[in-house]
Amino acid sequence: MNAVEEYKIIGDYLCVQMPKEIDHHNAESISEKIDQFIVKRNVNHVLFDFSETEFMDSSGIGILVGRYKKVACFQGKIYLIHMNAQIKKILSLSGIAKYMEILEER
């Protein structure tokens, strides 16, 4: 069974549990749901949790860049956590990781 994305608001943070696979089939839906939280619930910061994610293509980069542009207008930030080696590599090669805060486990 594939894990499905989940959304939780804590203060002005939206925590998004990303699904097992992130591709063009589900990227638009994920983006739209996050945008609704940003607009309707006054969310300034978004934390993306990739602990369940095994695959991500360039659609995942699109999700992150689009949400970064939205929250940056409000001095918000994007946080990334629990990424596997493949996702870290994609984000590093794309260059977008330097605009987002990667939270490492301690």
Side-chain angles (χ1 to χ4, degrees):
M1 182 171 146
N2 282 352
V4 178
E5 70 274 6
E6 294 181 24
Y7 307 87
K8 185 189 308 183
I9 294 178
I10 302 171
D12 64 347
Y13 286 77
L14 172 62
C15 301
V16 181
Q17 176 67 58
M18 297 300 277
K20 184 175 181 178
E21 294 184 3
I22 304 167
D23 57 23
H24 71 280
H25 295 293
N26 60 4
E28 185 176 346
S29 170
I30 294 169
S31 295
E32 287 174 0
K33 289 176 187 173
I34 295 170
D35 290 350
Q36 289 174 1
F37 281 104
I38 291 170
V39 173
K40 295 180 180 177
R41 303 288 294 274
N42 290 333
V43 171
N44 291 333
H45 311 286
V46 182
L47 180 137
F48 288 92
D49 182 343
F50 290 94
S51 59
E52 300 292 324
T53 306
E54 297 176 2
F55 173 81
M56 182 176 89
D57 65 12
S58 61
S59 300
I61 293 172
I63 293 170
L64 297 175
V65 170
R67 289 350 87 206
Y68 170 78
K69 288 179 179 180
K70 290 190 183 305
V71 300
C73 295
F74 309 105
Q75 286 72 50
K77 290 187 175 185
I78 299 291
Y79 299 92
L80 310 173
I81 193 166
H82 300 138
M83 297 171 293
N84 66 26
Q86 182 242 357
I87 294 171
K88 283 182 184 179
K89 185 174 182 178
I90 289 171
L91 296 177
S92 176
L93 291 173
S94 71
I96 66 165
K98 59 186 160 197
Y99 300 103
M100 302 170 191
E101 192 163 333
I102 297 172
L103 304 174
E104 297 293 338
E105 297 177 47
R106 295 169 206 244

